[in-house]
Amino acid sequence: QKLTAHLIKALPFALTNAQQRTFAEISRDLAQSHPMQRLLLGDVGSGKTIVAALAALQAIENGYQVAFLAPTEILAEQHYLKLRDWLEPLGIAPVWLSGSLKKKEKQLAAEKIASGETLLAIGTHALFQEKISFHKLGLAIVDEQHKFGVQQRLALHKKGHTDVLAPEGHTEPHQ
């Protein structure tokens, strides 16, 4: 059975109709021959991360690696911990890469990404660096993509023929 189906079954909650519909749309986009450029909008807490995780699993099921980028170490680490909890039981062990890692840890993460051993790399702008090469990058999930500069986005595009999913949250202003 597919990894996506396993994750949906293992979740301690049911996907909402909106999450199911959105993932179905993204799934169709990922199956196209041209790269996807999709903005995933939703309120904070609306479940954008689970939809992004399902998109990542679809890419992995099809033989690609996934990069999940966040603009700050705190946010990237939160994504890493959540995705690790969801995906390790499915046999997917994400790798964490950030600027604050020790040189040896960065080198080990870079080697796993370059060899293709790592199917999901989660981190900050450290994933954009020239010395980081992906074996077969197929999907980049860029959280709060407006916080990344033009040069960083260009560096991402140089990593390969990649679909891009950009979850964007917003909160209602307090009255």
Side-chain angles (χ1 to χ4, degrees):
Q1 212 178 19
K2 287 184 166 185
L3 291 170
T4 50
H6 281 299
L7 178 58
I8 291 168
K9 235 193 259 187
L11 290 172
F13 56 88
L15 295 180
T16 66
N17 288 338
Q19 290 166 337
Q20 290 175 36
R21 185 177 61 252
T22 302
F23 174 60
E25 290 173 10
I26 291 168
S27 183
R28 283 191 298 275
D29 285 355
L30 290 172
Q32 299 298 314
S33 60
H34 56 276
M36 171 184 73
Q37 297 286 321
R38 180 179 277 271
L39 189 63
L40 175 59
L41 294 173
D43 292 333
V44 170
S46 65
K48 296 178 299 295
T49 304
I50 188 59
V51 172
L54 290 166
L57 284 177
Q58 181 174 338
I60 289 167
E61 287 169 351
N62 287 293
Y64 292 98
Q65 288 174 292
V66 178
F68 196 121
L69 301 132
T72 66
E73 289 210 13
I74 291 171
L75 188 55
E77 187 175 20
Q78 288 172 345
H79 286 306
Y80 170 75
L81 295 171
K82 183 175 279 189
L83 290 165
R84 185 189 65 187
D85 289 349
W86 286 341
L87 304 182
E88 277 188 346
L90 303 176
I92 308 293
V95 161
W96 162 253
L97 186 64
S98 73
S100 69
L101 288 179
K102 291 184 172 90
K103 187 177 180 181
K104 192 168 188 132
E105 292 171 317
K106 278 186 202 172
Q107 185 178 345
L108 182 60
E111 288 170 5
K112 287 182 173 183
I113 293 166
S115 72
E117 178 185 339
T118 290
L119 299 173
L120 175 60
I122 302 170
T124 59
H125 62 280
L127 288 171
F128 286 115
Q129 295 174 352
E130 278 184 36
K131 60 187 165 217
I132 302 300
S133 64
F134 286 81
H135 180 69
K136 193 174 180 186
L137 182 63
L139 174 63
I141 299 167
V142 187
D143 196 9
E144 297 191 25
Q145 59 105 26
H146 62 280
K147 292 188 179 175
F148 289 99
V150 172
Q151 293 301 321
Q152 291 170 318
R153 286 188 237 166
L154 286 173
L156 173 65
H157 285 289
K158 289 179 184 174
K159 299 286 182 190
H161 181 81
T162 307
D163 290 308
V164 177
L165 176 62
E168 290 291 324
H170 53 84
T171 55
E172 293 300 313
H174 294 288
Q175 301 277 331

